[in-house]
Amino acid sequence: MKFHKIKTTAFEDQEPGTSGLRKLVTRFQEPDYLENYLQSIFDCLENKRGQALVIGGDGRFFNDEAIKKAILMAAANGFGRVIVGQDGLLSTPAASHIIRNNKAFGGLIFSASHNPRAEERRVGKE
């Protein structure tokens, strides 16, 4: 597999908290936004070469694209293998179980479970 280095600039609003980076999907879809965030995570990790990484999400819009990018970037950053939930679906408790059972390095979960559904947001504004 051939990898490419891509020069990008930082995004000022990428300041994750204890529950990750909370942004609208349209923000994550902007060129280089997700990639910059993922690379910043990978850059902070030591001793990841050859390790296993668990990746999954809650199946919401854009999860499949985010997971594909994360898999490619994990490979480019030296992870030896990636364990992905079937069709990309993986709950946080399931990811924790898989990480422990497979002695994986860690995991990435793409979820918007903390966000209300669109219908709930509209009701709250009426």
Side-chain angles (χ1 to χ4, degrees):
M1 185 179 281
K2 188 173 183 183
F3 301 107
H4 304 277
K5 284 189 177 188
I6 299 171
K7 185 175 171 83
T8 65
T9 56
F11 291 88
E12 295 297 323
D13 66 339
Q14 287 189 341
E15 295 181 22
T18 56
S19 55
L21 183 63
R22 296 181 177 196
K23 301 292 174 195
L24 296 174
V25 170
T26 52
R27 186 69 168 134
F28 279 102
Q29 290 176 306
E30 292 178 19
D32 300 326
Y33 193 85
L34 175 61
E35 293 87 341
N36 276 21
Y37 180 63
L38 291 172
Q39 190 58 53
S40 70
I41 294 169
F42 293 141
D43 285 347
C44 294
L45 303 176
E46 297 177 4
N47 304 315
K48 63 186 177 268
R49 184 153 303 281
Q51 298 284 340
L53 182 69
V54 175
I55 300 177
D58 60 11
R60 294 175 194 237
F61 181 72
F62 193 61
N63 264 195
D64 54 346
E65 293 299 316
I67 290 168
K68 288 175 191 173
K69 290 179 183 192
I71 292 168
L72 291 172
M73 292 182 69
N77 278 275
F79 280 93
R81 66 185 176 119
V82 176
I83 303 168
V84 183
Q86 185 173 351
D87 296 324
L89 297 176
L90 195 61
S91 68
T92 301
S96 175
H97 176 76
I98 293 168
I99 290 167
R100 292 169 199 251
N101 270 7
N102 291 277
K103 297 181 174 56
F105 185 84
L108 296 171
I109 297 295
F110 296 96
S111 171
S113 60
H114 57 275
N115 290 339
R117 294 188 325 247
E119 303 84 43
E120 293 170 354
R121 285 195 305 266
R122 283 194 293 274
V123 169
K125 290 185 178 184
E126 292 176 358

